[in-house]
Amino acid sequence: MSDLPGKHIVLFICDQMQYMRQGRVDPLARTPNLDALADEGVFFDRFYCSNPQCSPSRMSLQTGLHPHEAGVMVIYGFGGHTGHLGPRHRTIAQVLKEHGYRTAYFGKSHFGYPLEKLGYEKGIERGGGGSLAVVDEEITRDATNFLASYDATEPLFLVISLHQPHPPFESVEPYIRSFDPEQMPIPPSFADDLTGRPEFQRKRRESPGGGVTRQQLRLEMTQYYSMITKVDELFGRVRHALEGRGLWNDSVIAFTSDHGDMMGGHGLRLKGTFPYEELFRVPLIIKAPGVAGGARTASLGVNVSLPRTLMELAGVEVPDDWPNRSVTDVVLRQAEGPEQVFMEHYGAYWGWHPFRMIVTRSYKYVYYYGPDEPAEELYDLQHDPHEERNLAADTTYEDLKHRLKAKLESWWRTTEGRTFTYYESDEFKRIDAATLVDDNELWAFT
């Protein structure tokens, strides 16, 4: 990839933003700066996170590994698990540092390990206490102050990681005034009775804080939109700072989120234990020097592919032992992407419901391998995009289900996936106890 003209790399991450709340998708959304990035880059319509929880997904963005490959399957602290990003992992920052890059990270990490030991020469972490909009202002100020004196002749890898639009949801001024609660769209699946789904989903919806009324949803949606607009504004500030230092045109820029939010889908709220698109489908926009902008792709992708993609687009020689996953050919319009992608979930605040999942261009198949085993879900994403009908028990789809399950199980085996019994053993749960920086309090509400 050395003939590509890229140099600097900027990864901009927000927290808990749905794919469908971008201006390119939703006419109510106000994201002019991200829309401008899409005009200059490639906009992904079917990009997914590896896991709908903070720490596992963020680990994937650093290592190119699926959560079970890295042994980081939950937010450390859940159920006594201590797996976290640490000394047994190799990060994109470490690779780029070896290639002469200066490396910097500003904002939320939730890695459980110091940034400097993960390859970041400069790092300021800021937790999520109080107003997230205020904290994100501080994070952006840290990043732009750093850029103000940066030597543009040195290749830079910069990560800016915001907290918004993660809960607790707030009304961000002045943007909240642009959104009328009465105009907020109720998701088509809001009244889904969850027939044919694992029983825990209905129980979660009926539990305190698990479900949501229409009135509550409309209020939270207006706040969610205002927080996303604030994210967009802060992205614009970073862009302005990059342009001021002459870095923008020579940079590979990526915008994404670690996971989504149910936001009323299937009558549910927040993140957690579900396989639905609201949680797994996330934004991805990539701009790269020498690559024509304004493209939109329906190619499949998962965030484990992003680190290698950024390195390849920047012309970096990727180590042989780095996972061979990227969407570079999609960005360069040289391929349509894979026919299927794989994701997983293990445990969250609301219980242990481990599943692994395959998504193709038309279908989604989910297999539960923990306490809910052998529950399954199968959705026709073309004809049932809101996932209201589980086809797993429909004999008409038996052959398709078996083919998808065979692919899913093959992926699990080849990537050294194990059993629920193993993952609940002390051998696994305490794997990183000796090196864990127990900083969950810093990342309150995450």
Side-chain angles (χ1 to χ4, degrees):
M1 311 304 296
S2 59
D3 59 328
L4 293 172
K7 184 179 180 183
H8 311 292
I9 303 172
V10 180
L11 174 59
F12 195 104
I13 308 168
C14 65
D15 196 327
Q16 205 149 326
M17 179 176 170
Q18 292 181 329
Y19 151 83
M20 67 249 336
R21 299 303 168 210
Q22 301 175 88
R24 276 288 184 271
V25 182
D26 181 353
L28 286 182
R30 303 286 185 269
T31 57
N33 291 297
L34 295 176
D35 295 347
L37 179 65
D39 288 339
E40 298 176 52
V42 178
F43 184 96
F44 283 73
D45 279 306
R46 297 197 65 192
F47 194 75
Y48 293 85
C49 59
S50 65
N51 181 294
Q53 294 288 306
C54 220
S55 295
S57 181
R58 288 166 178 271
M59 175 281 307
S60 292
L61 289 170
Q62 292 292 313
T63 66
L65 296 171
H66 287 278
H68 71 275
E69 292 178 299
V72 183
M73 298 177 69
V74 298
I75 295 176
Y76 45 89
F78 283 14
H81 285 254
T82 64
H84 63 276
L85 188 62
R88 59 192 178 89
H89 303 106
R90 191 177 192 191
T91 70
I92 179 176
Q94 291 166 338
V95 172
L96 291 173
K97 192 174 177 181
E98 292 168 3
H99 281 78
Y101 275 70
R102 306 303 302 271
T103 57
Y105 192 112
F106 298 99
K108 176 179 177 178
S109 71
H110 212 172
F111 295 148
Y113 202 62
L115 288 173
E116 63 270 19
K117 293 185 178 181
L118 296 172
Y120 291 98
E121 299 168 304
K122 176 71 174 179
I124 301 176
E125 299 180 82
R126 293 192 183 272
S131 165
L132 297 184
V134 171
V135 175
D136 285 349
E137 287 264 1
E138 295 170 345
I139 292 168
T140 304
R141 189 179 308 114
D142 291 337
T144 55
N145 286 345
F146 169 79
L147 288 169
S149 58
Y150 188 76
D151 181 355
T153 64
E154 295 189 272
L156 172 65
F157 175 50
L158 171 65
V159 181
I160 301 103
S161 179
L162 304 187
H163 291 269
Q164 297 177 100
H166 193 286
F169 301 120
E170 60 184 290
S171 300
V172 182
E173 293 286 356
Y175 303 119
I176 191 68
R177 304 174 201 172
S178 300
F179 304 104
D180 179 0
E182 295 305 314
Q183 299 301 314
M184 292 296 103
I186 300 297
S189 66
F190 181 81
D192 182 6
D193 62 9
L194 297 175
T195 296
R197 260 57 66 84
E199 181 65 14
F200 77 85
Q201 295 189 19
R202 183 187 59 78
K203 290 181 178 179
R204 164 74 191 283
R205 188 169 65 185
E206 294 173 354
S207 68
V212 62
T213 67
R214 290 175 183 267
Q215 181 179 4
Q216 180 187 11
L217 176 59
R218 288 191 172 103
L219 173 60
E220 289 190 348
M221 288 190 75
T222 59
Q223 294 175 317
Y224 194 62
Y225 276 115
S226 76
M227 295 172 83
I228 288 171
T229 306
K230 184 64 177 182
V231 169
D232 181 85
E233 177 208 326
L234 297 177
F235 177 83
R237 290 191 204 176
V238 171
R239 173 174 184 155
H240 181 73
L242 289 165
E243 290 175 330
R245 300 298 301 158
L247 295 166
W248 180 263
N249 291 336
D250 289 335
S251 293
V252 177
I253 311 285
F255 171 84
T256 193
S257 179
D258 57 354
H259 53 78
D261 186 288
M262 288 307 300
M263 198 52 62
H266 307 274
L268 296 158
R269 65 189 294 268
L270 306 179
K271 60 182 176 182
T273 53
F274 314 111
Y276 297 121
E277 296 284 279
E278 287 89 347
L279 284 182
F280 276 90
R281 199 169 167 193
V282 295
L284 177 64
I285 309 171
I286 297 179
K287 177 197 83 73
V291 177
R296 189 164 176 169
T297 179
S299 293
L300 298 170
V302 180
N303 64 2
V304 294
S305 66
L306 193 52
R308 187 182 188 101
T309 300
L310 297 178
M311 289 189 280
E312 289 180 342
L313 290 173
V316 173
E317 185 177 347
V318 182
D320 292 338
D321 59 353
W322 191 270
N324 189 22
R325 301 158 178 157
S326 83
V327 290
T328 302
D329 286 346
V330 175
V331 175
L332 299 178
R333 309 338 186 246
Q334 295 175 348
E336 295 183 0
E339 294 185 0
Q340 63 268 323
V341 290
F342 303 93
M343 290 143 275
E344 63 187 277
H345 168 77
Y346 192 75
Y349 300 101
W350 305 279
W352 304 98
H353 304 284
F355 61 77
R356 43 189 178 263
M357 178 166 75
I358 179 174
V359 174
T360 73
R361 294 168 186 172
S362 300
Y363 292 95
K364 174 185 289 183
Y365 171 74
V366 186
Y367 181 78
Y368 291 81
Y369 66 94
D372 305 294
E373 192 170 20
E376 300 171 289
E377 295 180 66
L378 175 65
Y379 299 102
D380 182 340
L381 297 176
Q382 286 192 326
H383 298 98
D384 179 24
H386 304 294
E387 301 169 286
E388 296 181 272
R389 184 186 173 201
N390 181 10
L391 303 172
D394 188 330
T395 57
T396 306
Y397 296 88
E398 196 69 16
D399 288 344
L400 171 66
K401 185 179 73 172
H402 285 309
R403 289 197 303 272
L404 293 177
K405 184 176 182 179
K407 290 181 178 181
L408 180 62
E409 296 309 300
S410 176
W411 167 74
W412 193 250
R413 288 192 305 272
T414 57
T415 54
E416 300 183 352
R418 305 287 286 272
T419 66
F420 179 69
T421 300
Y422 171 74
Y423 293 131
E424 284 305 298
S425 68
D426 286 342
E427 176 188 357
F428 180 80
K429 290 171 70 172
R430 305 298 294 168
I431 189 171
D432 286 325
T435 59
L436 176 62
V437 176
D438 190 10
D439 60 357
N440 266 321
E441 186 175 346
L442 183 65
W443 315 117
F445 308 110
T446 60

mmCIF file of all heavy atoms in Angstrom, residues 349-364:
data_model
loop_
_atom_site.group_PDB
_atom_site.id
_atom_site.type_symbol
_atom_site.label_atom_id
_atom_site.label_comp_id
_atom_site.label_asym_id
_atom_site.label_seq_id
_atom_site.Cartn_x
_atom_site.Cartn_y
_atom_site.Cartn_z
ATOM 1 N N TYR A 349 -24.734 -5.017 32.226
ATOM 2 C CA TYR A 349 -25.414 -4.687 33.472
ATOM 3 C C TYR A 349 -26.659 -5.550 33.676
ATOM 4 O O TYR A 349 -27.033 -5.835 34.803
ATOM 5 C CB TYR A 349 -25.866 -3.222 33.455
ATOM 6 C CG TYR A 349 -24.778 -2.206 33.297
ATOM 7 C CD1 TYR A 349 -24.530 -1.609 32.057
ATOM 8 C CD2 TYR A 349 -24.005 -1.812 34.386
ATOM 9 C CE1 TYR A 349 -23.541 -0.641 31.918
ATOM 10 C CE2 TYR A 349 -23.020 -0.850 34.252
ATOM 11 C CZ TYR A 349 -22.793 -0.267 33.012
ATOM 12 O OH TYR A 349 -21.819 0.678 32.883
ATOM 13 N N TRP A 350 -27.301 -5.937 32.593
ATOM 14 C CA TRP A 350 -28.607 -6.568 32.673
ATOM 15 C C TRP A 350 -28.535 -8.082 32.545
ATOM 16 O O TRP A 350 -29.520 -8.717 32.248
ATOM 17 C CB TRP A 350 -29.516 -5.969 31.609
ATOM 18 C CG TRP A 350 -29.576 -4.492 31.758
ATOM 19 C CD1 TRP A 350 -30.341 -3.791 32.634
ATOM 20 C CD2 TRP A 350 -28.804 -3.525 31.044
ATOM 21 N NE1 TRP A 350 -30.099 -2.455 32.523
ATOM 22 C CE2 TRP A 350 -29.153 -2.254 31.557
ATOM 23 C CE3 TRP A 350 -27.841 -3.605 30.052
ATOM 24 C CZ2 TRP A 350 -28.580 -1.075 31.090
ATOM 25 C CZ3 TRP A 350 -27.272 -2.436 29.592
ATOM 26 C CH2 TRP A 350 -27.644 -1.191 30.103
ATOM 27 N N GLY A 351 -27.371 -8.654 32.761
ATOM 28 C CA GLY A 351 -27.296 -10.103 32.807
ATOM 29 C C GLY A 351 -26.357 -10.709 31.774
ATOM 30 O O GLY A 351 -25.774 -10.027 30.931
ATOM 31 N N TRP A 352 -26.241 -12.047 31.857
ATOM 32 C CA TRP A 352 -25.326 -12.810 31.017
ATOM 33 C C TRP A 352 -26.133 -13.566 29.969
ATOM 34 O O TRP A 352 -26.816 -14.547 30.277
ATOM 35 C CB TRP A 352 -24.519 -13.777 31.881
ATOM 36 C CG TRP A 352 -23.787 -13.047 32.966
ATOM 37 C CD1 TRP A 352 -24.172 -12.911 34.259
ATOM 38 C CD2 TRP A 352 -22.577 -12.311 32.829
ATOM 39 N NE1 TRP A 352 -23.262 -12.136 34.946
ATOM 40 C CE2 TRP A 352 -22.276 -11.762 34.104
ATOM 41 C CE3 TRP A 352 -21.708 -12.069 31.766
ATOM 42 C CZ2 TRP A 352 -21.143 -10.982 34.336
ATOM 43 C CZ3 TRP A 352 -20.585 -11.289 31.997
ATOM 44 C CH2 TRP A 352 -20.314 -10.767 33.265
ATOM 45 N N HIS A 353 -26.060 -13.076 28.744
ATOM 46 C CA HIS A 353 -26.782 -13.693 27.624
ATOM 47 C C HIS A 353 -25.843 -13.790 26.425
ATOM 48 O O HIS A 353 -26.046 -13.134 25.398
ATOM 49 C CB HIS A 353 -28.033 -12.873 27.279
ATOM 50 C CG HIS A 353 -28.953 -12.683 28.445
ATOM 51 N ND1 HIS A 353 -29.779 -13.680 28.907
ATOM 52 C CD2 HIS A 353 -29.164 -11.615 29.259
ATOM 53 C CE1 HIS A 353 -30.463 -13.238 29.944
ATOM 54 N NE2 HIS A 353 -30.111 -11.989 30.176
ATOM 55 N N PRO A 354 -24.785 -14.600 26.527
ATOM 56 C CA PRO A 354 -23.770 -14.647 25.469
ATOM 57 C C PRO A 354 -24.338 -15.153 24.144
ATOM 58 O O PRO A 354 -25.094 -16.127 24.111
ATOM 59 C CB PRO A 354 -22.731 -15.620 26.019
ATOM 60 C CG PRO A 354 -22.953 -15.642 27.486
ATOM 61 C CD PRO A 354 -24.420 -15.442 27.668
ATOM 62 N N PHE A 355 -23.959 -14.465 23.078
ATOM 63 C CA PHE A 355 -24.311 -14.941 21.741
ATOM 64 C C PHE A 355 -23.212 -14.586 20.764
ATOM 65 O O PHE A 355 -22.394 -13.701 21.008
ATOM 66 C CB PHE A 355 -25.660 -14.386 21.269
ATOM 67 C CG PHE A 355 -25.753 -12.880 21.161
ATOM 68 C CD1 PHE A 355 -25.195 -12.190 20.095
ATOM 69 C CD2 PHE A 355 -26.439 -12.142 22.124
ATOM 70 C CE1 PHE A 355 -25.296 -10.810 19.979
ATOM 71 C CE2 PHE A 355 -26.549 -10.755 22.031
ATOM 72 C CZ PHE A 355 -25.981 -10.092 20.956
ATOM 73 N N ARG A 356 -23.181 -15.308 19.681
ATOM 74 C CA ARG A 356 -22.356 -14.958 18.530
ATOM 75 C C ARG A 356 -23.284 -14.803 17.340
ATOM 76 O O ARG A 356 -24.366 -15.401 17.298
ATOM 77 C CB ARG A 356 -21.276 -15.996 18.284
ATOM 78 C CG ARG A 356 -21.681 -17.445 18.386
ATOM 79 C CD ARG A 356 -20.440 -18.348 18.335
ATOM 80 N NE ARG A 356 -20.735 -19.758 18.481
ATOM 81 C CZ ARG A 356 -20.655 -20.430 19.628
ATOM 82 N NH1 ARG A 356 -20.319 -19.807 20.753
ATOM 83 N NH2 ARG A 356 -20.914 -21.730 19.670
ATOM 84 N N MET A 357 -22.860 -14.033 16.341
ATOM 85 C CA MET A 357 -23.800 -13.592 15.320
ATOM 86 C C MET A 357 -23.102 -13.459 13.968
ATOM 87 O O MET A 357 -21.958 -13.012 13.890
ATOM 88 C CB MET A 357 -24.383 -12.242 15.760
ATOM 89 C CG MET A 357 -25.351 -11.597 14.807
ATOM 90 S SD MET A 357 -26.249 -10.245 15.623
ATOM 91 C CE MET A 357 -24.994 -8.962 15.674
ATOM 92 N N ILE A 358 -23.801 -13.862 12.922
ATOM 93 C CA ILE A 358 -23.343 -13.656 11.549
ATOM 94 C C ILE A 358 -24.356 -12.768 10.832
ATOM 95 O O ILE A 358 -25.575 -12.956 10.976
ATOM 96 C CB ILE A 358 -23.157 -15.003 10.801
ATOM 97 C CG1 ILE A 358 -22.704 -14.749 9.352
ATOM 98 C CG2 ILE A 358 -24.413 -15.851 10.848
ATOM 99 C CD1 ILE A 358 -22.357 -16.038 8.599
ATOM 100 N N VAL A 359 -23.855 -11.806 10.089
ATOM 101 C CA VAL A 359 -24.693 -10.935 9.264
ATOM 102 C C VAL A 359 -24.218 -11.043 7.824
ATOM 103 O O VAL A 359 -23.020 -10.895 7.539
ATOM 104 C CB VAL A 359 -24.627 -9.473 9.738
ATOM 105 C CG1 VAL A 359 -25.380 -8.568 8.768
ATOM 106 C CG2 VAL A 359 -25.202 -9.333 11.146
ATOM 107 N N THR A 360 -25.157 -11.343 6.921
ATOM 108 C CA THR A 360 -24.867 -11.359 5.492
ATOM 109 C C THR A 360 -25.530 -10.149 4.843
ATOM 110 O O THR A 360 -26.105 -9.304 5.536
ATOM 111 C CB THR A 360 -25.382 -12.653 4.844
ATOM 112 O OG1 THR A 360 -26.823 -12.604 4.769
ATOM 113 C CG2 THR A 360 -24.949 -13.886 5.636
ATOM 114 N N ARG A 361 -25.474 -10.077 3.550
ATOM 115 C CA ARG A 361 -26.104 -8.945 2.878
ATOM 116 C C ARG A 361 -27.621 -8.971 3.004
ATOM 117 O O ARG A 361 -28.280 -7.947 2.808
ATOM 118 C CB ARG A 361 -25.686 -8.925 1.409
ATOM 119 C CG ARG A 361 -24.192 -8.641 1.236
ATOM 120 C CD ARG A 361 -23.692 -8.884 -0.157
ATOM 121 N NE ARG A 361 -22.224 -8.738 -0.204
ATOM 122 C CZ ARG A 361 -21.476 -9.036 -1.253
ATOM 123 N NH1 ARG A 361 -22.036 -9.518 -2.354
ATOM 124 N NH2 ARG A 361 -20.165 -8.883 -1.200
ATOM 125 N N SER A 362 -28.183 -10.136 3.368
ATOM 126 C CA SER A 362 -29.640 -10.252 3.453
ATOM 127 C C SER A 362 -30.148 -10.728 4.802
ATOM 128 O O SER A 362 -31.302 -10.442 5.154
ATOM 129 C CB SER A 362 -30.155 -11.217 2.367
ATOM 130 O OG SER A 362 -29.812 -10.764 1.070
ATOM 131 N N TYR A 363 -29.332 -11.459 5.565
ATOM 132 C CA TYR A 363 -29.846 -12.114 6.767
ATOM 133 C C TYR A 363 -28.939 -11.894 7.971
ATOM 134 O O TYR A 363 -27.762 -11.570 7.841
ATOM 135 C CB TYR A 363 -29.987 -13.633 6.529
ATOM 136 C CG TYR A 363 -31.057 -13.995 5.534
ATOM 137 C CD1 TYR A 363 -30.732 -14.205 4.189
ATOM 138 C CD2 TYR A 363 -32.382 -14.120 5.924
ATOM 139 C CE1 TYR A 363 -31.711 -14.528 3.263
ATOM 140 C CE2 TYR A 363 -33.376 -14.444 5.004
ATOM 141 C CZ TYR A 363 -33.034 -14.649 3.683
ATOM 142 O OH TYR A 363 -34.006 -14.956 2.767
ATOM 143 N N LYS A 364 -29.538 -12.107 9.139
ATOM 144 C CA LYS A 364 -28.813 -12.109 10.410
ATOM 145 C C LYS A 364 -29.205 -13.371 11.163
ATOM 146 O O LYS A 364 -30.389 -13.669 11.341
ATOM 147 C CB LYS A 364 -29.168 -10.887 11.242
ATOM 148 C CG LYS A 364 -28.573 -10.887 12.657
ATOM 149 C CD LYS A 364 -29.066 -9.709 13.492
ATOM 150 C CE LYS A 364 -28.467 -8.412 12.992
ATOM 151 N NZ LYS A 364 -28.883 -7.270 13.861
#
